[in-house]
Amino acid sequence: EVDEYRLYYAQTLFKCGNYVEALKAAVRVGDSKQLEQKVISLQAAIKYELDELPACKSLLDECLQDDPETIANQAAVCFKERRFMEARELYQEAMSGLGFTPKLAYNVALCYYKEEQFADALKLLADLIERGVRAHPELSVGSGTDGVDVRSVGNSQTLLETCLIEAFNLKMAIEYQMSNIIAAREALTDMPPRTERELDAVTLHNQALVDTSDDQHADASAGFRKLNFLLANPPFPPEAF
């Protein structure tokens, strides 16, 4: 029982981004066979976030190879190494074992995007968004595009778990890259409503891109204000330079 609490503590540190302390805490978890795989998986995830990929791979080799979580972690390594097709196939394999999950579906779509298979990415994103809308109508997807005045849904755990923000941002990136500025703008206004203060850096950056486009609804001054805000408040997407 004590070892379980130690593991929870290490996982909490990891989720807070305190990777060095999380690694120290993970080492202090006992030799319980029941927790061994979870500890190794956590250590691998920490090494991944620290960009220590050889150590991460070595730890993943110690995990159960047919476990969907292990497969998903291997996919993440492939993605970081820019082996996007291999990463996508592994994410799809993990999803076949776990069933549909928003995070895995988004990662598959992101791989398609990196492979420049935009049609496949958009198809998967449409499915992800539709599932999110059906499961959580309270997130008011599309209200901004429809001109409905609704209050912010905030950055709730529910919103995080649906991956809707990530999905709409990726949809925006694809449409923008294909010069479909109106569709790119609509992807942003379709997002669950949040106040500007609640926006993440990627969403704010994408808003700035459409604001500084040559679209008739563009607002260059607002776009440059957002870009300047991002530059003054790192971390920010590298494209903000």
Side-chain angles (χ1 to χ4, degrees):
E1 187 175 341
V2 173
D3 284 340
E4 283 190 44
Y5 285 126
R6 286 174 177 164
L7 176 59
Y8 295 151
Y9 177 62
Q11 291 171 330
T12 300
L13 289 170
F14 171 74
K15 290 179 180 179
C16 292
N18 196 342
Y19 303 127
V20 174
E21 292 302 316
L23 190 58
K24 292 178 182 178
V27 171
R28 288 194 290 268
V29 178
D31 296 328
S32 167
K33 284 292 182 183
Q34 185 179 357
L35 300 177
E36 182 182 16
Q37 287 296 311
K38 291 182 179 179
V39 172
I40 296 173
S41 181
L42 175 60
Q43 291 173 325
I46 294 169
K47 292 295 185 181
Y48 174 86
E49 294 296 341
L50 292 172
D51 286 326
E52 298 178 17
L53 294 188
C56 176
K57 289 180 182 179
S58 179
L59 287 163
L60 288 177
D61 286 342
E62 297 180 37
C63 294
L64 296 173
Q65 295 302 295
D66 59 351
D67 182 69
E69 184 177 346
T70 301
I71 296 168
N73 288 337
Q74 291 169 335
V77 172
C78 290
F79 187 91
K80 187 167 274 194
E81 294 178 333
R82 303 188 64 80
R83 293 184 285 135
F84 301 124
M85 183 177 73
E86 191 174 345
R88 172 173 54 79
E89 290 172 347
L90 286 169
Y91 279 130
Q92 289 170 324
E93 183 181 347
M95 194 157 60
S96 68
L98 291 173
F100 181 93
T101 68
K103 185 175 181 180
L104 287 176
Y106 169 77
N107 285 335
V108 173
L110 183 59
C111 290
Y112 275 131
Y113 169 70
K114 291 293 188 179
E115 294 176 86
E116 297 187 359
Q117 297 187 42
F118 297 148
D120 288 323
L122 288 172
K123 181 179 179 181
L124 189 53
L125 289 172
D127 182 45
L128 193 163
I129 291 168
E130 183 180 351
R131 287 171 182 262
V133 170
R134 287 204 309 263
H136 299 284
E138 73 277 9
L139 293 178
S140 302
V141 169
S143 58
T145 300
D146 295 338
V148 179
D149 187 20
V150 294
R151 68 179 184 177
S152 166
V153 299
N155 290 305
S156 65
Q157 184 64 28
T158 297
L159 181 61
L160 180 66
E161 291 171 355
T162 62
C163 287
L164 284 171
I165 298 300
E166 293 86 347
F168 280 117
N169 272 319
L170 182 54
K171 182 180 179 182
M172 177 274 171
I174 294 170
E175 299 291 4
Y176 186 86
Q177 192 159 327
M178 294 193 299
S179 299
N180 299 329
I181 304 302
I182 294 176
R185 184 184 300 278
E186 186 174 297
L188 296 176
T189 55
D190 274 347
M191 282 184 180
R194 295 176 294 167
T195 65
E196 189 168 282
R197 288 190 307 171
E198 294 170 328
L199 297 182
D200 57 281
V202 175
T203 300
L204 196 64
H205 168 261
N206 287 345
Q207 286 185 352
L209 285 182
V210 296
D211 283 341
T212 53
S213 69
D214 56 3
D215 175 57
Q216 61 176 336
H217 300 293
D219 184 349
S221 61
F224 286 119
R225 175 180 59 81
K226 293 170 184 176
L227 289 174
N228 285 330
F229 174 83
L230 288 170
L231 290 172
N233 295 273
F236 46 78
E239 294 84 354
F241 277 113

